[in-house]
Amino acid sequence: PLYSSAASDVYKRQEYGFSDICLGVPTIIGENGIERILELELSGEELKQLKISANAVQQVKQSLKNK
């Protein structure tokens, strides 16, 4: 089978400590779509920036629920 890697916006279940959120993360893509999420080891600063992004997405998600 042919596989490639790409950044993909995926629904996160537990990766990187986040759940119930869509974030752009590195993935392996195969003939059936996303085969798996590559959970890379992030530096402290990278994890901090990812958390800031995740919190921003959660805030938008919550504001849309309240409308």
Side-chain angles (χ1 to χ4, degrees), residues 61-67:
K61 182 178 151 184
Q62 189 62 40
S63 71
L64 293 172
K65 282 183 177 181
N66 293 335
K67 289 189 174 201

Side-chain angles (χ1 to χ4, degrees), residues 15-30:
E15 299 82 10
Y16 295 104
F18 301 105
S19 61
D20 194 30
I21 189 171
C22 291
L23 291 174
V25 294
T27 60
I28 297 294
I29 300 174

Side-chain angles (χ1 to χ4, degrees), residues 44-60:
E45 181 62 26
E46 290 168 327
L47 188 55
K48 177 183 170 185
Q49 293 299 318
L50 182 59
K51 286 179 181 180
I52 289 169
S53 295
N55 287 336
V57 171
Q58 289 287 29
Q59 287 176 357
V60 169

